[in-house]
Amino acid sequence: MLDILSNYGVMFLVGSWPNGPIGGFAATIILAGLGVLLSFPLALLIGLARAGSLRWPRYLATAWVYTFRGIPLVMIIFWAYFILPRMTGVTVPAFVTALCAIVIYESAFLGEIVRAGLQGLPAGQTEAARASGLSYAQTMWNVILPQALTNMLPSLVNQFVSTIKATSIVYVIGVQEVTFAAQQINSIELNSALQTFLVLAAFYFVACYVISSLAQLLEQKLARKRLGLA
Amino acid sequence: MEFDWGFLGTGNYAQKLATGVLTTLELFGTAWVGGFIIALLIVALRAVPFKPLGMLMRLFVEYHRNVPTVVQIMVWYFGMPQLLPDDLRMWINRGQSEFLFATVALSLNVSAYFSEDIRSGLRAIPHTQVEAGRSIGLSAVSVMRYVTVPQALRISVPPLLNRSLILFKDTSLAMVIGVTELTYQVKAIENLTFRSFEVFAISTLIYLACSLLIMGLGAWFGKRFPPAFKV
Amino acid sequence: MIELDNIDKWYGSYHALDHISGRVAEGEVVVVCGPSGSGKSTMIRTINRLEPLQGGSIRIKGHDVHTQCPNALRAGIGFVFQQFNLFPHLSVRENIMLSPVKVGGMTRAQATALTEELLAKVGLAHKIDAMPGNLSGGQQQRVAIARALAQKPPVILFDEPTSALDPEMVGEVLAVMKQLANEGMTMMVVTHEMGFARDVADRIWFMDEGRIVEENTPEGFFTSPGHPRAQRFLSDVTRSASPPH
């Protein structure tokens, strides 16, 4: 297994760069990171709609969440692969297609995290803000969101870990991330499949385990800070 | 863009879809049952006060939670045959090895999550319940059976349900090793008929219907067996 | 200043407020008391539209509260909550400055000066940069009062301001409220603190089951309450309280 790692380590990490686009685990992290970042504004709107009092935004947001949580990511990817070129009229690179699919997919999950964060604050906070004359927008911006976003942070980090794992399927449309690299290596080294795929697993394991542990530490730190307020 | 739903009537496309749905459900059902049984085993093993065993179980759980499911499937399908003696490998290659390996991978994967959900449910039951059970004369095992586990299961149901939904969606990952479940069939039909929109739409609706069914089942279970103990 | 005209409110089929009418004149302090579930908090929360009404009308300075923009209305009414509801992520200074700057249009410099003045008034000038989590309950409530005062409202509503406090901190909050009353602030106070009612109130409204069943001066209410329900309430309250000084 160490042979595979030493011979193909760079390929696992960055794909065929610099002789090609960035691939490997670097591409995985970039895809996951961009996915979560771009999805968050959308998730914020969805969460606000779900937690809000206006009926139609709430219904639409609920339908959105149930839909994109109810179908596999690979189906969303196939849809994106089909719809995007027709919508834009140009050939869309696989990376962009995968990114769009991930943004839509994650928006449902992140939206639920936002909703839980908003609904987790005591009602008294909204009441006190409104009672002093602040509008809905001012209340959200100055009072609710700063507190809710801080509370949501561990869940958001955990969702980032989920996204990293989710990117492992996008190789089916040709995105050159780390699972793609592993498939390529496997087709070269035909008799070392077990080692190759265990090295692949190791990459994900290390990254996800470390980031999850960070989320746990963050959660404990926030819990301690909150107890100080009791 | 014109739609043509007629493709369902020609060839054996409708039958392909039906096979796909059936395979998906078989995969889901087998992996769920297998996963749940293994999860109970893990929970029991972790209760044994033998540290190396506990650490092994912990490693098992962490591996399955931090490695993507599709990679786990790949490790089993591409990697495991390497470890098997030649004749066993030949025998497996002759049969439906894809389904077997996908089921094994999914069962183990979901068992790791299930075991954690069950354990957190058990942890939520205060020790006073056990004391009360013992003081009316129940043995330790009976306390588990009649007092602790029934209550713990009710608390565990929401996360177990959530994970079941994820397992259902994860069956689509088996397509990468050639299991003929629904998504595999969708891709096959698309390649043959080029009716992408229609076949995607039908399969999306099927997945949604099943997901909503699972979520509805959970809601019913939650109403019928609410957590008796307010944590 | 405040006029309640036949206000009616239901929670489903539960009649929470039953044809309530009353007047609070400018500079008056009205204490609202009564048993739990009598509708006292519900009534006071309808005044700044935290609770909606099904019937009747409420006027402040002659203007119907339901015809105004709610944000502008609330900026003109001070409200002090039982649970203080300070914003834990903002310092004391920021808590008090929030409304004057964002709604009142004050500059930060003006708001800062006002904040310092109000904190001195409630005796917490030295805590201006503290975080709410580091303050005691009594201190938090006094900051909450300063926050309400920062809106420069003509009237302040208090919803059981001392009910969530440990007994030894009740006094410091009541002292601030008494000072405000002496300065001529129009106040409506829902409270169980009968000592405060006796010393500071101009009038007492006694509520039971969604109605004001008795309206009296403090002397009249405490020496010879008219309504049998009020008599029973007083005997229950004074049985457990210390004798009057």
Side-chain angles (χ1 to χ4, degrees):
Chain A
M1 212 159 91
L2 285 171
D3 300 330
I4 297 280
L5 192 54
S6 58
N7 293 340
Y8 297 100
V10 177
M11 197 164 162
F12 269 112
L13 269 174
V14 286
S16 46
W17 188 79
N19 299 318
I22 278 242
F25 204 70
T28 295
I29 297 287
I30 293 174
L31 186 58
L34 274 180
V36 170
L37 237 71
L38 293 175
S39 186
F40 193 73
L42 184 58
L44 205 58
L45 289 174
I46 292 170
L48 284 169
R50 286 268 272 157
S53 43
L54 295 172
R55 240 187 323 150
W56 278 107
R58 195 171 62 235
Y59 290 167
L60 285 170
T62 306
W64 180 277
V65 167
Y66 273 77
T67 304
F68 291 109
R69 282 180 53 175
I71 60 181
L73 175 58
V74 73
M75 276 298 331
I76 302 178
I77 290 174
F78 289 157
W79 272 113
Y81 196 76
F82 170 70
I83 287 183
L84 283 175
R86 279 171 179 73
M87 246 172 52
T88 59
V90 299
T91 27
V92 181
F95 186 90
V96 175
T97 308
L99 186 61
C100 291
I102 288 176
V103 166
I104 301 284
Y105 183 68
E106 289 299 326
S107 71
F109 294 91
L110 290 172
E112 284 297 273
I113 293 175
V114 170
R115 178 175 74 93
L118 290 172
Q119 292 178 335
L121 290 179
Q125 289 295 296
T126 317
E127 287 188 348
R130 300 293 255 139
S132 41
L134 288 137
S135 70
Y136 174 81
Q138 288 171 324
T139 303
M140 276 296 149
W141 186 258
N142 292 292
V143 177
I144 302 296
L145 285 177
Q147 297 185 65
L149 288 172
T150 319
N151 291 340
M152 286 179 223
L153 219 47
S155 299
L156 293 176
V157 176
N158 279 322
Q159 194 59 36
F160 176 58
V161 170
S162 287
T163 312
I164 293 176
K165 294 192 289 174
T167 60
S168 57
I169 193 64
V170 303
Y171 80 96
V172 298
I173 58 168
V175 180
Q176 298 188 5
E177 40 70 72
V178 71
T179 310
F180 184 90
Q183 294 278 11
Q184 281 188 312
I185 294 167
N186 187 41
S187 58
I188 301 172
E189 297 276 335
L190 293 163
N191 294 319
S192 312
L194 183 62
Q195 293 90 321
T196 307
F197 287 107
L198 281 179
V199 168
L200 175 65
F203 269 92
Y204 282 109
F205 184 88
V206 169
C208 294
Y209 188 79
V210 166
I211 302 177
S212 295
S213 306
L214 282 173
Q216 245 186 329
L217 280 172
L218 195 63
E219 170 111 56
Q220 287 166 356
K221 190 164 163 226
L222 279 176
R224 257 181 277 133
K225 201 171 107 178
R226 234 175 279 136
L227 280 167
L229 252 59
Chain B
M1 208 168 98
E2 16 72 69
F3 302 127
D4 171 27
W5 303 89
F7 76 97
L8 277 177
T10 63
N12 59 345
Y13 301 125
Q15 191 191 7
K16 270 190 154 59
L17 275 179
T19 316
V21 174
L22 226 64
T23 312
T24 296
L25 292 174
E26 278 170 10
L27 199 50
F28 173 67
T30 324
W32 198 98
V33 171
F36 198 80
I37 295 174
I38 298 173
L40 290 174
L41 202 71
I42 296 174
V43 172
L45 284 175
R46 283 182 90 161
V48 169
F50 184 50
K51 215 157 164 238
L53 191 62
M55 279 173 23
L56 192 68
M57 292 295 109
R58 173 103 195 276
L59 186 64
F60 177 89
V61 168
E62 289 300 330
Y63 169 80
H64 287 98
R65 279 167 42 151
N66 287 298
V67 175
T69 311
V70 75
V71 173
Q72 293 172 24
I73 294 175
M74 289 176 185
V75 168
W76 276 99
Y77 184 70
F78 294 118
M80 281 306 151
Q82 231 174 283
L83 295 174
L84 301 171
D86 282 322
D87 24 335
L88 196 57
R89 200 185 314 161
M90 299 286 206
W91 177 77
I92 284 183
N93 280 338
R94 236 178 284 129
Q96 284 271 357
S97 63
E98 298 92 27
F99 188 88
L100 174 71
F101 283 120
T103 310
V104 169
L106 287 172
S107 296
L108 292 176
N109 176 52
V110 81
S111 73
Y113 288 98
F114 276 176
S115 73
E116 283 297 296
D117 295 334
I118 296 173
R119 284 180 76 230
S120 64
L122 285 170
R123 270 198 297 263
I125 308 300
H127 193 70
T128 48
Q129 287 288 297
V130 177
E131 288 172 355
R134 297 310 300 272
S135 49
I136 59 171
L138 292 173
S139 71
V141 175
S142 293
V143 165
M144 267 265 153
R145 186 162 160 223
Y146 295 109
V147 177
T148 322
V149 170
Q151 293 187 64
L153 272 178
R154 289 167 185 220
I155 295 178
S156 299
V157 161
L160 285 175
L161 196 83
N162 197 37
R163 184 48 52 177
S164 302
L165 186 62
I166 295 175
L167 172 65
F168 180 73
K169 294 189 293 171
D170 279 353
T171 57
S172 62
L173 298 171
M175 70 164 289
V176 308
I177 60 172
V179 175
T180 55
E181 48 72 62
L182 183 57
T183 313
Y184 180 93
Q185 301 288 27
V186 165
K187 253 314 184 170
I189 296 173
E190 190 208 13
N191 287 334
L192 292 169
T193 66
F194 297 102
R195 302 258 58 106
S196 315
F197 181 86
E198 292 86 333
V199 68
F200 286 171
I202 295 174
S203 53
T204 302
L205 286 173
I206 296 175
Y207 273 117
L208 269 179
C210 296
S211 300
L212 291 174
L213 205 74
I214 296 177
M215 292 192 239
L217 198 74
W220 171 83
F221 193 89
K223 279 209 181 76
R224 181 86 173 69
F225 301 103
F229 205 109
K230 274 283 187 178
V231 244
Chain C
M1 173 78 68
I2 306 178
E3 293 168 36
L4 304 175
D5 231 317
N6 271 309
I7 60 179
D8 249 308
K9 183 181 172 58
W10 278 272
Y11 283 120
S13 55
Y14 175 66
H15 203 175
L17 298 176
D18 190 353
H19 290 86
I20 299 213
S21 295
R23 304 256 180 296
V24 180
E26 192 171 336
E28 252 201 312
V29 174
V30 168
V31 164
V32 182
C33 60
S36 293
S38 52
K40 325 186 284 292
S41 287
T42 311
M43 178 196 67
I44 204 172
R45 287 159 63 100
T46 56
I47 298 178
N48 74 340
R49 294 179 66 179
L50 281 178
E51 299 279 352
L53 279 186
Q54 275 81 54
S57 68
I58 302 178
R59 286 175 202 286
I60 299 205
K61 283 188 168 172
H63 301 292
D64 188 333
V65 304
H66 287 90
T67 56
Q68 294 173 47
C69 162
N71 297 332
L73 167 77
R74 288 164 181 157
I77 302 176
F79 200 99
V80 177
F81 294 85
Q82 180 177 348
Q83 300 292 344
F84 340 132
N85 289 339
L86 292 183
F87 308 128
H89 61 303
L90 300 175
S91 66
V92 162
R93 176 203 300 267
E94 293 290 333
N95 260 279
I96 297 174
M97 280 173 53
L98 191 61
S99 184
V101 170
K102 301 284 179 184
V103 187
M106 268 194 205
T107 65
R108 288 190 68 86
Q110 293 170 317
T112 308
L114 177 65
T115 303
E116 287 165 3
E117 180 194 320
L118 291 173
L119 278 176
K121 191 192 187 86
V122 302
L124 290 170
H126 57 297
K127 291 285 186 185
I128 189 167
D129 284 306
M131 298 301 282
N134 295 329
L135 300 178
S136 73
Q139 291 173 326
Q140 287 189 51
Q141 192 64 302
R142 284 187 278 152
V143 170
I145 295 177
R147 181 175 63 174
L149 286 170
Q151 293 159 227
K152 301 208 178 144
V155 56
I156 305 187
L157 309 174
F158 294 82
D159 185 4
E160 303 212 29
T162 56
S163 296
L165 293 174
D166 289 339
E168 66 269 18
M169 292 189 255
V170 169
E172 67 196 57
V173 173
L174 292 180
V176 170
M177 290 166 66
K178 185 167 177 179
Q179 186 190 351
L180 287 178
N182 289 341
E183 289 168 5
M185 175 64 77
T186 313
M187 294 159 61
M188 183 186 279
V189 184
V190 173
T191 186
H192 295 296
E193 291 293 326
M194 294 295 110
F196 175 84
R198 197 185 345 252
D199 290 341
V200 184
D202 294 308
R203 264 183 311 131
I204 294 180
W205 293 0
F206 177 76
M207 284 183 68
D208 185 35
E209 292 185 353
R211 283 183 224 98
I212 302 180
V213 294
E214 176 148 348
E215 218 186 293
N216 212 333
T217 61
E219 303 84 51
F221 184 75
F222 285 106
T223 50
S224 49
H227 200 275
R229 190 67 189 81
Q231 293 164 4
R232 193 154 36 106
F233 177 77
L234 271 178
S235 72
D236 287 340
V237 166
T238 51
R239 189 181 309 138
S240 47
S242 49
H245 47 270

